[in-house]
Amino acid sequence: MRGIERLARLGVDVAARRWPRDVADQLRYEWRAELVALRDDPGLCRSARAYRMIMFAGSLAVSPAVEAEGAEPVDRPPALLAPAVAAGVLLVAAAAFNVVHAVGYRSGAVAGFLLAAALLGMGALGYHVRGPAVTWTVSMGAAMFAFLMAGNAVAVMPFMGWRDVLPGVAVWTVTTVAAVRVARRHRVLGVLAGVAGLEVAAIAGSLHAASVVKAGLVTAPAWFPLALLPGGTASFGPYFADGRAAFGALHGSGPAFHASDILLGNVSAMVGPMLLCSAFGLAVAVRRAPFRVPVPRYDLHVPLGVGATVAVLVVAEWLDRASVDIGSALSRVVDNSNVFGFGFLAGMSGRIAVALVAGVLVGQLAVSRRARAAG
Amino acid sequence: MGGPRMTSSVLRVVAALLADASAERYGLQLMQATGLPSGTLYPILIRLERAGWVVSRWEQVDPAVEGRPPRRYYRLSSEGEIEARREVALMQRQMARAMRPAGRVREA
């Protein structure tokens, strides 16, 4: 119990530090007194006391503090909004990039046009929503890690383990947060920093793959731009004339290919969605508009949110039934026609998570629109 | 001094304090009465106190004798009680109007 109490005290101390100076010390003292009362409550069993102490401190630690006295009230986004926005933006970005690459296999010019359109679309989306750009970028990084790991549980991409995803996503998150901070003051510098971050993230996320397929590191600066182009634009590394190869868990055969085809296909799965997420995050930062909590007049957001949740579940079921043979995975990697893995939609928990994200976002969107219409 | 922004959570706190306006309550009691978590309750209490609706005082005990630190008690101020009753009554009227059958609304 002593450890739990210490943890709870740490929680209320951390929470109090975020409050304005005129009330922080009193509140810390008050909350510590309440923790002692919970610890000594004779009406509760030992585990219930520990649970309530942790809940008491945890709720304070994750809740926003009040503004300083005399300051304008600051509206803060609901707690669930950041992860929902992050997951929603990432899924939209991944789906958009998959479409770009599927088209790019057939027509590079159309793919270039579509990629530009997707970038503009994500930028416009970011420019029109109000929110904390840094928090959302960090959340997007976390969502990216989770979805890339979950989406490739069945190996569509040969190099999508933690040794590939973790460095790539970590570097993207850190560099994009820095770019977002810069973009608030200098738009052009922020965008340049974002592009540089993508370049470094692509290299960090592909070092392991490059060492396995024996692609020379001298080509590393070209990985990011080449990953955005149709497969076969540039070739390097060992040549597999008979199309046979085994990389990690992936074994297969198909047309002849270079190691670079595998490497760049793998890079695409990571940096394509990253690129579109960067556009969104930088646009949010450039706008610098504070979040305003919308006030709904009608409860349409609830049925709309539930409707979106059900719709995603139905679409996921349809996609699952229409899914193609996973045995053709290697050839699809080679031609870059299949990038970001949506394998998490195969499992019920993944579907429910995505459906809930859609429900929260559509519900929030309905509230925002209603509030805007109400003036 | 401007009044606090009325949300359903603020109304729950106000209603809990109004249940016995002269009684003093500490945070855990209010959490139980309202069902609100600590992270929601305390910001509301601070805002109500700043608006002058709620006053607080520290329990007068000797921590060494009691073996525990003093707690902070909250109650409605006289001004807060008047404003709180007005807001709760307003909310009840709005609720009654919303619950009224459509035909009766048209008649009105």
Side-chain angles (χ1 to χ4, degrees), chain A residues 38 120 144 157 217 243 266 329 351 370:
Chain A
L38 283 173
L120 284 174
M144 215 175 276
M157 286 290 140
L217 284 181
N266 205 80
R351 284 184 208 185
R370 176 59 63 188

Side-chain angles (χ1 to χ4, degrees), chain A residues 339-358:
Chain A
V339 280
F340 190 94
F342 278 80
F344 45 83
L345 287 178
M348 188 48 74
S349 55
R351 284 184 208 185
I352 289 172
V354 174
L356 286 176
V357 164

Side-chain angles (χ1 to χ4, degrees), chain B residues 81-95:
Chain B
E81 189 180 339
I82 295 166
E83 294 290 340
R85 286 194 195 286
R86 194 173 59 80
E87 287 293 341
V88 170
L90 183 67
M91 176 53 64
Q92 284 170 339
R93 275 203 301 277
Q94 285 178 346
M95 290 293 287

Side-chain angles (χ1 to χ4, degrees), chain A residues 33-96:
Chain A
E34 298 294 17
L35 284 179
V36 171
L38 283 173
R39 182 196 66 194
D40 298 337
D41 189 341
L44 296 173
C45 67
R46 192 183 164 88
S47 55
R49 287 199 296 256
Y51 173 77
R52 289 188 58 183
M53 285 167 74
I54 290 296
M55 291 305 288
F56 182 87
S59 175
L60 289 167
V62 299
S63 299
V66 298
E67 62 282 356
E69 187 153 26
E72 282 291 308
V74 178
D75 287 331
R76 291 179 176 82
L80 268 181
L81 192 58
V85 165
V89 168
L90 174 67
L91 291 175
V92 169

Side-chain angles (χ1 to χ4, degrees), chain A residues 30 34 37 56 59 63 67, chain B residues 27 38-39 47 50 71-72 74:
Chain A
E30 176 181 1
E34 298 294 17
F56 182 87
S59 175
S63 299
E67 62 282 356
Chain B
S38 52
R47 288 198 174 97
R50 283 179 178 173
R71 304 175 91 167
R72 190 175 181 181
Y74 298 88

